[in-house]
């Protein structure tokens, strides 16, 4: 992804080294001097007293770094096939230009050529999700991607990677925003999934390739996640979850915030969800809630599945919607938020379908009726249950033998229990951590080895 090495590129990187990555001082200087090169020349000539304490704190860095330090970063990018895009470039993500303190330099690996023509939704959540949240994240991500959206997240263990791999499984793009350099393998648990992201989207960071992560690099990263997306979906968040930082950026950027209602409102793992919904976030109960919000603006970019969701009778074609013609997306687009706006096509004034008349069926004689099979109320014996499990296991044995050992063990646990099994049970039986188990089950589901039922339990295909 080699690009022309210009003075503007060199001095743009130099500014980030002098004042710090994600520093708002950089955007102030670019606005004032109109280019990084001019800002560099002016700062070397004489101190800019308008910067005050911010300038004085970094003044020594002006002479500590020079063009060679920036050129080293550029050389590393060239060797690692990492692209660089500046805020002034035409292919810079336009949505970031509208946020506070947009990154002046972005590094990326993968394909961002159509990022300005896509419909990204941010999906974020805990690193240690419940089975309910795992199932919900998969369903939401896949449903959105089938409707024409793509997923942006932070490549963290848990909800982030589950959402992004679900997007890949649905044949969509996904963008992973890192809180470290693109050559830094973090988190290590997700290293096996890097190629899938490269092949179906891109990694993005405002930090140079070998920059190490720290606790202070992730909050600024979250503004980029929210900034790239049309809106943010919070799947599972406790009261102190980092996902709430992304949610806050979403609110500050005046974008829709969607939050999954918890399965248990008293479960502390969902304390952040409860607070966000109470404070006015849009409850997210299916991909339709997000499609509904953006359909009026992006109808031409969404798929036919999106339209089919919106005209389904149990969602929009209700008495309340008929009376008001309003909804979250429609209200947001109205010039006057208190005046009615046109309804979505073919939803409000759609005539109810007449129920088809049942054809008369000639009565059957008792002699023609099939005998009702006898059903025993007695539970199956242990021997019968064991025989059934053995039969099912033999049926899958040939397939399981070709699986990697950890996948084979998980599949055998499911088969030996003879019923759908939740992730916690598999973790307990296998001795793996719940995080490793969820990552493993995600891989197995994407490979078609297992399926997740509506209740969040797993079965062998």
């Amino acid at each position: 992804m080699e690009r022309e090495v210009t003075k503007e590129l060199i001095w743009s990187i130099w500014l980030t080294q002098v004042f710090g990555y994600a520093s708002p001082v950089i955007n102030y200087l670019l606005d004032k001097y109109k280019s990084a090169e001019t800002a560099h020349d002016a700062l070397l000539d004489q101190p800019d007293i308008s910067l005050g304490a911010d300038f004085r704190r970094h003044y020594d860095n002006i002479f500590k770094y020079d063009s060679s330090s920036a050129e080293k970063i550029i050389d590393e990018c060239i060797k690692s096939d990492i692209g660089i895009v500046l805020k002034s470039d035409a292919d810079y993500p336009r949505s970031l230009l509208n946020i506070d303190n947009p990154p002046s330099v972005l590094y990326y690996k993968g394909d961002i050529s159509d990022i300005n023509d896509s419909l990204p939704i941010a999906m974020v959540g805990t690193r240690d999700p419940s089975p309910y949240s795992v199932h919900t994240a998969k369903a939401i991500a896949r449903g959105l991607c089938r409707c024409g959206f793509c997923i942006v997240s932070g490549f963290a263990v848990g909800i982030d990677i589950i959402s992004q791999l679900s997007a890949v499984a649905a044949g969509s793009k996904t963008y992973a925003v890192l809180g470290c350099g693109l050559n830094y393998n973090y988190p290590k648990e997700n290293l096996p999934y890097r190629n899938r992201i490269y092949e179906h989207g891109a990694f993005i960071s405002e930090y140079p390739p070998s920059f190490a992560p720290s606790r202070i690099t992730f909050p600024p990263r979250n503004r980029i996640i929210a900034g790239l997306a049309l809106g943010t979906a919070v799947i599972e968040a406790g009261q102190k979850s980092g996902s709430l930082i992304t949610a806050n950026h979403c609110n500050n950027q005046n974008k829709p915030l969607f939050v999954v209602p918890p399965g248990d409102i008293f479960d502390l793992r969902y304390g952040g969800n409860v607070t966000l919904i109470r404070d006015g976030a849009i409850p997210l109960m299916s991909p339709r809630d997000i499609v509904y919000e953006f359909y009026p603006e992006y109808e031409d970019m969404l798929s036919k599945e999106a339209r089919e969701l919106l005209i389904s009778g149990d969602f929009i074609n209700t008495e309340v919607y008929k009376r008001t013609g309003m909804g979250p997306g429609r209200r947001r687009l109205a010039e006057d938020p208190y005046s009615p706006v046109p309804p979505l096509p073919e939803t409000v004034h759609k005539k109810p379908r007449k129920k088809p008349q049942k054809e008369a069926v000639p009565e059957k004689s008792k002699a023609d009726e099939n005998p009702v099979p006898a059903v025993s109320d007695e539970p199956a014996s242990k021997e019968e249950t064991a025989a059934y499990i053995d039969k099912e296991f033999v049926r899958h044995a040939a397939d399981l033998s070709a699986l990697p050992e950890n996948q084979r063990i998980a599949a055998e646990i499911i088969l030996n229990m003879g019923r759908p099994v939740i992730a916690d049970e598999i973790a307990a039986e296998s001795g793996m951590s719940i995080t490793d188990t969820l990552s493993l089950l995600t891989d197995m589901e994407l490979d078609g080895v297992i399926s997740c039922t509506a209740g969040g339990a797993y079965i062998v295909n």
Side-chain angles (χ1 to χ4, degrees):
M1 298 181 186
E2 189 172 347
R3 62 172 285 164
E4 182 183 1
V5 180
T6 62
K7 289 185 177 180
E8 187 63 20
L9 175 63
I10 291 172
W11 299 125
S12 291
I13 294 174
W14 177 81
L15 282 175
T16 64
Q17 294 178 304
V18 170
F19 292 100
Y21 308 100
S23 171
V25 174
I26 299 172
N27 280 305
Y28 169 81
L29 292 171
L30 290 175
D31 289 341
K32 180 176 181 177
Y33 295 105
K34 308 307 178 187
S35 77
E37 183 180 1
T38 306
H40 163 264
D41 295 343
L43 291 174
L44 284 183
D45 183 48
Q46 61 180 352
D48 188 331
I49 59 174
S50 66
L51 293 179
D54 281 323
F55 176 79
R56 291 192 294 272
R57 187 159 52 93
H58 298 282
Y59 185 77
D60 290 342
N61 288 343
I62 291 177
F63 304 99
K64 177 181 177 181
Y65 295 101
D66 56 19
S67 61
S68 64
S69 59
E71 288 167 350
K72 287 180 181 178
I73 291 177
I74 296 172
D75 289 341
E76 185 179 2
C77 289
I78 293 173
K79 291 176 183 177
S80 302
D81 197 27
I82 292 173
I84 311 174
V85 61
L86 305 180
K87 195 173 74 165
S88 56
D89 292 340
D91 54 350
Y92 183 89
R94 289 192 298 268
S95 58
L96 294 180
L97 296 174
N98 300 319
I99 70 172
D100 289 335
N101 191 29
S104 57
V105 180
L106 281 178
Y107 303 90
Y108 68 92
K109 187 164 185 176
D111 181 14
I112 64 167
S113 59
D114 58 355
I115 196 168
N116 286 320
D117 298 315
S118 62
L119 302 177
I121 297 294
M123 290 186 64
V124 296
T126 179
R127 287 171 168 77
D128 187 18
S130 69
Y132 165 78
S133 297
V134 171
H135 174 67
T136 301
K138 291 178 181 177
I140 296 293
R142 289 180 178 178
L144 288 174
C145 291
R146 293 189 187 108
C147 289
F149 294 92
C150 64
I151 302 301
V152 57
S153 195
F155 196 62
V157 173
I159 293 299
D160 287 23
I161 189 62
I162 289 168
S163 302
Q164 297 195 268
L165 291 179
S166 297
V168 170
S172 181
K173 291 234 174 176
T174 184
Y175 301 101
V177 185
L178 302 186
C180 59
L182 302 183
N183 279 346
Y184 201 96
N185 289 328
Y186 180 87
K188 292 181 179 179
E189 298 93 327
N190 288 348
L191 182 59
Y193 309 123
R194 278 190 170 246
N195 284 339
R196 296 189 189 181
I197 305 299
Y198 293 143
E199 294 166 1
H200 298 272
F203 285 91
I204 299 172
S205 177
E206 65 182 322
Y207 303 106
S210 297
F211 195 85
S214 70
R215 63 184 182 85
I216 64 172
T217 62
F218 291 98
R221 179 275 306 261
N222 292 352
R223 86 189 191 284
I224 301 177
I225 293 177
L228 286 173
L230 298 173
T232 296
V234 177
I235 306 301
E236 178 183 333
Q239 286 286 6
K240 297 182 179 180
S241 171
S243 302
L244 301 183
I245 299 174
T246 310
N248 190 48
H249 283 300
C250 177
N251 282 327
N252 290 339
Q253 294 168 16
N254 197 30
K255 294 178 178 179
L257 177 63
F258 307 89
V259 179
V260 173
D264 179 356
I265 59 174
F266 301 108
D267 189 335
L268 296 180
R269 292 177 297 179
Y270 299 94
N273 297 51
V274 172
T275 299
L276 292 173
I277 292 175
R278 182 186 291 126
D279 290 347
I282 301 170
L284 176 57
M285 291 169 282
S286 110
R288 291 180 292 187
D289 296 294
I290 293 177
V291 174
Y292 186 27
E293 181 74 18
F294 297 108
Y295 186 87
E297 288 170 275
Y298 302 104
E299 177 183 358
D300 58 333
M301 297 176 66
L302 294 172
S303 67
K304 65 177 182 179
E305 283 83 355
R307 182 184 180 86
E308 288 170 358
L309 281 177
L310 293 187
I311 63 176
S312 60
D314 63 334
F315 185 65
I316 285 184
N317 195 17
T318 63
E319 291 303 317
V320 172
Y321 186 80
K322 287 179 181 178
R323 286 198 306 271
T324 63
M326 303 295 282
R330 307 302 287 166
R331 184 180 296 278
R332 186 166 58 86
L333 293 176
E335 291 183 6
D336 178 359
Y338 299 101
S339 64
V341 292
L344 292 168
E346 298 182 13
T347 55
V348 175
H349 302 296
K350 193 174 180 181
K351 293 182 179 179
R353 279 187 265 175
K354 293 182 180 179
K355 291 184 178 180
Q357 297 292 328
K358 291 184 178 180
E359 295 182 6
V361 179
E363 293 186 5
K364 292 183 179 180
S365 64
K366 291 185 178 181
D368 294 331
E369 292 180 359
N370 292 323
V372 178
V375 179
S376 173
D377 291 332
E378 293 295 323
S381 66
K382 291 183 178 180
E383 292 76 12
E384 290 173 325
T385 302
Y388 171 77
I389 293 173
D390 288 342
K391 179 181 176 183
E392 287 297 294
F393 182 78
V394 169
R395 182 168 66 86
H396 291 283
D399 297 331
L400 298 186
S401 63
L403 295 176
E405 184 179 4
N406 55 355
Q407 291 194 15
R408 178 180 56 77
I409 291 172
E412 288 177 356
I413 290 171
I414 297 172
L415 289 172
N416 289 337
M417 288 193 177
R419 56 172 172 77
V421 183
I422 64 173
D424 290 335
E425 293 176 304
I426 298 171
E429 289 289 324
S430 65
M432 292 188 295
S433 68
I434 186 62
T435 300
D436 290 341
T437 301
L438 290 170
S439 297
L440 175 64
L441 295 174
T442 299
D443 276 348
M444 294 175 69
E445 188 175 12
L446 292 173
D447 293 339
V449 178
I450 61 174
S451 296
C452 186
T453 67
Y458 294 88
I459 58 174
V460 177
N461 292 331

